[in-house]
Amino acid sequence: MSELAERYFKVKERVHEACKKAGRKEEEVTLVAVSKFHPIEAIMEVAELGQKEFGENYIQEALEKIALRPDLKWHAIGPVQSKKTKEIIGKFSLIESLASDSLLKELEKRTQNSNQRQDVLLQVNIGREGQKSGLLAEEVLPFAQKVLQIPALKLCGLMCLPPLDDNPEHTRPYFIQLRELKEKIEKELNMTLPHLSMGMSADFPVAIEEGATIIRVGTDIFGPRKQY
Ligand SMILES: *Cc1c(COP(=O)(O)O)cnc(C)c1O
């Protein structure tokens, strides 16, 4: 078995264990393999092992890979510049990083005459970090209400990227906050939001314990990246 295959199955095993520990069904947790900076060959190898969903941060890089493997499911997980909107329509099964009015406006404009629906998550800056993108907790409800006005967009939940920390117990409180925020928004909007996207290589088992339905794992599957 290749190193890549070994790492992939190790992650699958840890997902299995975390679900068991948390008393959750494995089908409730979608593993997204974050493939930024890794070549299409590595993606194809992981796809051969049964992985179906991949995550990319940079739109240009993503579009090149999607063109080669449109059969896979792709998640946009990084900031999307609004000028790229036209190119991304219909390409991603989920846009996880919606957080700006400019992107929202552009999505509205570009989807007006289409009957396609785009699933989206709202990215929340849960640690209230200065330079990080994402909505502050108090901005989520009014922003969600604007999203609901746009027929082509389907609001599916929340995503976060908490402050980096090697100790997942330091990250757990942010996962709890995101889950509670989702529950609050569901109550206010009187609707169910199926997804909570949280947890990466350093902390996905803890995220699963706290209710993640999507985990985004890069390094533990593909190995270290050359750049960040
Ligand atoms: C890079 C990235 C990940 C994956 O991070 P790893 O620590 O390599 O697992 C997950 N989510 C987002 C938004 C990222 O940018």
Side-chain angles (χ1 to χ4, degrees), residues 34 36 57 77 159 161 200-202 216-219 225 228:
V34 175
K36 62 185 177 216
N57 287 58
I77 63 170
M159 177 269 229
L161 196 66
M200 324 201 302
S201 293
R216 310 177 310 265
V217 181
T219 310
R225 290 178 287 271
Y228 191 81

Side-chain angles (χ1 to χ4, degrees), residues 47-89:
E48 280 295 302
L49 303 172
Q51 179 63 26
K52 295 189 175 57
E53 315 218 10
F54 292 84
E56 288 281 341
N57 287 58
Y58 303 95
I59 296 302
Q60 199 48 48
E61 180 183 356
L63 291 174
E64 286 164 22
K65 291 170 173 172
I66 295 170
L68 296 169
R69 289 302 300 265
D71 57 309
L72 300 171
K73 285 188 165 184
W74 297 91
H75 293 223
I77 63 170
V80 182
Q81 293 171 285
S82 46
K83 65 175 189 204
K84 289 275 184 193
T85 311
K86 193 178 163 200
E87 297 171 69
I88 68 171
I89 298 293

Side-chain angles (χ1 to χ4, degrees), residues 115-180:
N115 42 19
Q116 267 177 326
R117 283 200 102 186
Q118 174 66 60
D119 289 359
V120 298
L121 303 183
L122 306 187
Q123 182 172 352
V124 184
N125 182 356
I126 200 76
R128 310 182 79 87
E129 293 169 275
Q131 327 81 331
K132 206 168 259 179
S133 49
L135 301 161
L136 296 174
E138 64 273 19
E139 296 169 337
V140 174
L141 180 62
F143 195 89
Q145 284 162 332
K146 284 188 261 181
V147 173
L148 294 177
Q149 306 282 310
I150 302 174
L153 299 184
K154 185 170 175 215
L155 179 61
C156 297
L158 305 180
M159 177 269 229
C160 77
L161 196 66
L164 279 182
D165 198 307
D166 287 339
N167 182 349
E169 289 308 326
H170 296 164
T171 313
R172 188 190 295 273
Y174 295 110
F175 294 153
I176 296 172
Q177 279 179 39
L178 193 73
R179 185 187 66 221
E180 290 177 348

